[in-house]
Amino acid sequence: MSEKKLAGIWMDTENATVVKNHDIENAFKFFVCEPVKRIVQGGNTSEKHANNAEQTNTAKFFKDLESLIANTEELYLTGTGDIQEQFKHHLEDTAQFKNLKITLATDQPMSEEHFLEHVKKHFNS
């Protein structure tokens, strides 16, 4: 079993599944965290307000994910679309994660159990 603190995130624009092998202190076995949901607001009266709301919601989504991967040394980041690429750039621009090794991929949606096995296989655990 690896002593490295490893994590995997599958994400799209509305949801994220986080799998990791550590809590704040120790690296042990992989487990699935509570799913992270992005707030989607509708009904804004102007394009400017809609854009501001979307940026705010995305920033909160990213912060929620950051809190789950604090102290991670290697991250497998995958999903559909380009949101995972945006998150990768966000992490690279965040001092706390500047030394985080990130592997970027694209995968179709999968169950939590399937993603857990996918992450274990990626890290050979």
Side-chain angles (χ1 to χ4, degrees):
M1 187 60 63
S2 176
E3 292 300 313
K4 274 191 160 179
K5 294 179 179 177
L6 309 170
I9 298 175
W10 182 94
M11 65 191 303
D12 62 18
T13 56
E14 295 179 16
N15 303 290
T17 301
V18 179
V19 169
K20 61 184 183 175
N21 74 341
H22 63 92
D23 58 17
I24 293 172
E25 298 293 321
N26 306 314
F28 45 97
K29 67 177 192 162
F30 282 99
F31 61 95
V32 178
C33 300
E34 278 293 312
V36 178
K37 301 230 182 270
R38 180 174 174 267
I39 298 167
V40 180
Q41 292 175 320
N44 286 304
T45 55
S46 74
E47 191 173 326
K48 180 181 176 187
H49 289 299
N51 190 36
N52 287 343
E54 184 167 330
Q55 287 179 346
T56 300
N57 295 339
T58 299
K60 182 179 181 334
F61 185 48
F62 287 176
K63 286 285 180 203
D64 291 346
L65 289 170
E66 279 180 29
S67 69
L68 289 173
I69 62 167
N71 301 317
T72 295
E73 297 169 66
E74 287 186 43
L75 176 66
Y76 175 68
L77 184 56
T78 189
T80 59
D82 64 355
I83 189 78
Q84 69 272 23
E85 215 169 300
Q86 292 174 31
F87 186 55
K88 178 181 186 276
H89 292 304
H90 169 80
L91 291 173
E92 290 170 343
D93 293 340
T94 304
Q96 178 185 355
F97 297 102
K98 70 177 185 198
N99 295 322
L100 178 62
K101 180 183 173 201
I102 302 171
T103 303
L104 194 61
T106 303
D107 284 300
Q108 293 302 310
M110 57 187 98
S111 69
E112 288 181 353
E113 295 77 22
H114 187 196
F115 185 56
L116 175 63
E117 295 306 314
H118 194 70
V119 171
K120 286 181 183 178
K121 186 175 175 183
H122 173 78
F123 289 117
N124 299 315
S125 293

